[in-house]
Amino acid sequence: MNIFAAKRFFRIALLLSVTGMFPAPAQAAEWITSVSGCQVWNALPKAGETVSWTGTCTDGKTSGSGTLTWTHTEDGERKIATYKGEMKGGFLVGKGVYEWPSGDRYEGDFVNDALTGKGIYYYAGGNRYEGDFVDGTAEGKGTFVWTNGDRYEGDFVNGNRTGKGDFHFVNGNRYEGDFVDGTAEGKGT
């Protein structure tokens, strides 16, 4: 893969995947009551969705450590998403692991239901992003590794390579330098 194809692929893949981890909601966000009677914040409600919680309930909201399991049916297929980790006041907080029905998986920090802090996002197709997140978007320092072995290490702004970075291609080629909105620009080697 040449540098131009790699840049285009990376920009599209990261923009669609990292910044679009959470698709637009089908209806307005709301509180939903779990099978155990605890309420949990539902930022992306879906028709007929149910949720179960294995942890404790404080003041009627999910709290402490446990497993949250979301279930709904889409196009006749049962979809299940799980979160194992900390909850507070009905929100995902602290350390946790979230698995989407697509097979994508995130391990890391959560703040008020958002991927915020340090984490690793594993894509079902095999790619991986490890680094800083702010409100569900790659922001700060990070590393993106493709299944073919190509690797980018450096700055991310709003999910794009922007700032200083180092792109290593599996064929041995390398670009180290400036990136703007996912594109190698300016000084670099």
Side-chain angles (χ1 to χ4, degrees):
M1 178 183 294
N2 69 36
I3 191 165
F4 299 107
K7 288 188 287 186
R8 189 173 326 125
F9 174 78
F10 179 81
R11 187 173 188 189
I12 291 168
L14 191 60
L15 184 61
L16 292 176
S17 299
V18 176
T19 63
M21 285 182 208
F22 300 105
Q27 54 195 56
E30 64 187 9
W31 290 99
I32 184 172
T33 303
S34 71
V35 175
S36 62
C38 290
Q39 286 192 318
V40 63
W41 184 246
N42 190 354
L44 302 170
K46 295 171 183 65
E49 188 169 45
T50 61
V51 63
S52 64
W53 170 243
T54 64
T56 60
C57 195
T58 302
D59 296 327
K61 307 277 197 261
T62 54
S63 299
S65 295
T67 300
L68 191 64
T69 305
W70 297 92
T71 306
H72 74 281
T73 301
E74 187 176 301
D75 298 327
E77 186 179 336
R78 185 174 180 210
K79 303 283 186 172
I80 298 172
T82 60
Y83 170 76
K84 294 178 183 176
E86 297 294 316
M87 301 281 297
K88 183 177 181 183
F91 293 96
L92 285 64
V93 298
K95 300 284 184 196
V97 176
Y98 196 102
E99 295 184 46
W100 284 264
S102 66
D104 288 1
R105 175 185 172 101
Y106 172 79
E107 299 175 8
D109 299 327
F110 289 84
V111 175
N112 293 328
D113 271 16
L115 287 63
T116 298
K118 301 283 186 192
I120 306 172
Y121 194 96
Y122 299 92
Y123 296 85
N127 296 336
R128 176 176 49 96
Y129 169 80
E130 182 173 354
D132 300 327
F133 287 86
V134 175
D135 293 329
T137 302
E139 185 82 27
K141 299 287 186 191
T143 302
F144 193 96
V145 180
W146 287 264
T147 56
N148 72 351
D150 287 349
R151 174 187 193 94
Y152 169 80
E153 297 178 48
D155 298 329
F156 287 83
V157 175
N158 198 28
N160 287 311
R161 293 172 291 158
T162 297
K164 299 290 183 191
D166 195 352
F167 200 116
H168 294 265
F169 295 90
V170 71
N171 67 5
N173 292 340
R174 179 178 174 206
Y175 174 84
E176 182 177 2
D178 298 328
F179 289 82
V180 177
D181 292 328
T183 303
E185 290 190 15
K187 294 185 178 188
T189 58

